[in-house]
Amino acid sequence: TIVEYNITLNPWSSSLSRTISIPTDIDLGPGLASKTNTVLLGVDTSGIYNQIVELNISTNTATSTPLINLPSGRTITGDIILTTTNKILITNNSDTNYYLTQYNYTTGSLEVEVDITNYTTSAFGLYVQNSALYMIDSYGVIYNINLNYPYVITRYNDVAPLVAGASQIPTCISVNLIPIGPTQTPTNT
């Protein structure tokens, strides 16, 4: 199930709004993002391929629409973000390699893949601040990812450990990785 709360930021308070049932034929894995107040992006791990799905939560029973099949053996390790430029960015892995991957939301096509294995094996959070893309791992290390090829990754800051994700208002996510060509999917090593 998905549990929805109403919150007040100052002073902080929260109250249960509703509980939303998810379709019985999907298993939600790591990664959840908001597209609108009634549409979420999630990961279905029930099939042969992990799949990014759209979840319509306008009623108390969600409906699921498949969007993107991840490559065989890939699992999402942390966040999904949907940008205002119609890109989906995910942190994911395949065996011992870890990636930051960008898909075109409209077409589902893979646009950019950056190998982040040399930097972290626990990238759980993605967020945007001041038109810059950041990745945060479970150890509390924040990395800045340059938006242009070769997508240089720089250690930016450290915060408290045990970070399990990041979240923000979708309209604030206005950046994306810039592909080096229309059919190229470079890997930063």
Side-chain angles (χ1 to χ4, degrees), residues 32-41 80-87 128 167-175:
L32 192 63
S34 172
K35 178 181 175 187
T36 67
N37 285 339
T38 58
V39 178
L40 304 175
L41 299 179
I80 301 171
I81 60 175
L82 174 62
T83 73
T84 58
T85 57
N86 283 323
K87 309 298 181 189
V128 173
S167 181
Q168 67 191 113
I169 298 169
T171 55
C172 294
I173 307 171
S174 58
V175 303

Side-chain angles (χ1 to χ4, degrees), residues 62-130:
T63 57
S64 174
T65 304
L67 292 179
I68 299 167
N69 284 332
L70 299 182
S72 179
R74 290 287 180 97
T75 57
I76 290 187
T77 58
D79 280 341
I80 301 171
I81 60 175
L82 174 62
T83 73
T84 58
T85 57
N86 283 323
K87 309 298 181 189
I88 294 175
L89 286 97
I90 61 171
T91 54
N92 62 107
N93 77 316
S94 173
D95 297 322
T96 59
N97 293 326
Y98 294 79
Y99 304 95
L100 169 62
T101 306
Q102 177 175 290
Y103 291 94
N104 182 300
Y105 174 76
T106 307
T107 65
S109 62
L110 174 67
E111 291 186 335
V112 177
E113 184 151 271
V114 181
D115 188 329
I116 60 173
T117 307
N118 291 334
Y119 301 93
T120 184
T121 58
S122 64
F124 291 163
L126 291 171
Y127 67 94
V128 173
Q129 182 179 9
N130 296 326

Side-chain angles (χ1 to χ4, degrees), residues 2 20 24 27 34 50 54 68 120 129 139-140 151 172 175 181 186:
I2 297 170
I20 304 161
T24 57
D27 291 325
S34 172
N50 284 313
E54 219 174 57
I68 299 167
T120 184
Q129 182 179 9
Y139 303 105
Y151 316 111
C172 294
V175 303

Side-chain angles (χ1 to χ4, degrees), residues 2 18-24 38 55-64:
I2 297 170
R18 63 187 174 136
T19 300
I20 304 161
S21 301
I22 58 171
T24 57
T38 58
L55 296 168
N56 183 319
I57 58 167
S58 56
T59 67
N60 289 342
T61 302
T63 57
S64 174

